[in-house]
Amino acid sequence: DSEMSNVMNPKRKISYFYDAEVGNYHYGQGHPMKPHRVRMTHNLVVNYGLYRQMDIYRPKLVSAAQLTRFHSDDYINFLRLITPDNMSEYVRQLQRFNVGEDCPVFDGLYEYCQIYASGSIGGAVKLNDKSSDIAINWSGGLHHAKKSEASGFCYVNDCVLGILELLKTYERVLYIDIDIHHGDGVEEAFYTTNRVMTASFHKFGEYFPGTGDIKDKGFDKGENYAINVPLHDGMDDESFKSIFRPVIGKIIEKFRPLAIVMQCGADSLSGDRLGCFNLSIRGHADCVSYVKSFGIPMLVLGGGGYTLRNVPRCWTFETAVLLDTPIKDTLPY
């Protein structure tokens, strides 16, 4: 009997990208974005024993040329040269590239961008060459960055770079975003193409970044290939599920994606420092589980998430869901 269910539902081959350096980067005192949460996630993944069921990779760092497949040359050059020490010489560029407030200059900024982008591009490569069915990069999902500017704690848009890599192999790619903030950088990048459909579920109305109206649906060849689901405060598991499943089910039926990129921002969880939704970890993970059930190659990314004790628990639980491995609620320490 169990052999039969294995034929019906084979364990997927999963690759997991992690660079131990990522937790050492620091946006600055009082800044809500803390890369350390990715190291905390990794520690849970290891201590629960989940790492034994995955291929673990430290991503090979991408070159500047790979980053300029989306971003402008002058923006990437700026990120390479700016440091806390030389900032005063680059006041005009700091304004032009929107670096300073939400997106501060900190030590090792460019290497940090290389690390998180490399995991997403590396994961896409694994899906392209069919050596993995699912690739995970919890350090990625920085969905606000634009072609020539930083935004919302994001400098380089690894989601876009991962999708561009997947488009080398897959005719149609679906991007799904369950971060509480609208996935504006990804939507904008693919707004005029019908090869990438973007679907974002987000808080809308006097909320960053202010885009993602239900009426925004793509342009030209991309018309109707951008789907926005604007939501109010307090979305709980049941209300979220009652919208997410039918919308995504219909999109997959009609668009027939050959690969999926899923941004799993954890700031949509209850009690987030910046968010105002009311999802439990299980409710958040239910979205991941549902998308996985279609058996389409998946690149799974992190994103927002600003309550430090919740984010690693969420992403570890979602790792277990992707592995079809039940884990205990008690932490493994």
Side-chain angles (χ1 to χ4, degrees), residues 120-121 123-124 127-128 135 137 140-143 157-167 170 172-178 186 190 196-200 244 248 252 255 257-264 291 296-302:
S120 299
I121 295 170
L127 301 181
N128 280 352
N137 173 27
L142 278 76
H143 57 171
N157 198 317
D158 63 288
C159 314
V160 170
L161 292 165
I163 292 167
L164 288 172
E165 183 62 38
L166 290 170
L167 288 172
Y170 299 102
R172 291 180 305 282
V173 177
L174 170 61
Y175 173 76
I176 301 171
D177 191 316
I178 59 168
V186 187
F190 300 109
V196 178
M197 182 171 262
T198 58
S200 179
F244 185 84
I248 293 301
I252 289 175
F255 182 60
L258 300 168
I260 296 175
V261 176
M262 185 161 187
Q263 197 271 20
C264 302
V291 173
I296 298 166
M298 263 177 100
L299 175 61
V300 180
L301 307 174

Side-chain angles (χ1 to χ4, degrees), residues 260-309:
I260 296 175
V261 176
M262 185 161 187
Q263 197 271 20
C264 302
D267 47 7
S268 40
L269 292 172
S270 184
D272 188 78
R273 179 173 162 188
L274 300 184
C276 51
F277 281 179
N278 212 2
L279 290 180
S280 73
I281 287 173
R282 287 177 197 279
H284 196 273
D286 182 74
C287 299
V288 177
S289 178
Y290 182 66
V291 173
K292 171 180 168 285
S293 71
F294 291 92
I296 298 166
M298 263 177 100
L299 175 61
V300 180
L301 307 174
Y306 307 103
T307 295
L308 215 56
R309 65 181 176 277

Side-chain angles (χ1 to χ4, degrees), residues 3 86 148 154 214 242 246 286:
E3 242 179 83
N86 67 16
S148 293
C154 308
I214 197 162
S242 72
D286 182 74

Side-chain angles (χ1 to χ4, degrees), residues 5 7 43 56 74 89 105 124 126 129 143 204-205 240 244 264-265 271 273 279 300 329-330:
S5 68
V7 174
N43 283 336
I56 311 274
D74 51 354
E89 299 158 42
V105 177
K126 292 287 171 204
D129 65 22
H143 57 171
F204 183 74
F240 203 93
F244 185 84
C264 302
R273 179 173 162 188
L279 290 180
V300 180
D329 276 343
T330 50

Side-chain angles (χ1 to χ4, degrees), residues 203-210:
K203 154 84 173 145
F204 183 74
E206 296 180 22
Y207 203 68
F208 183 89

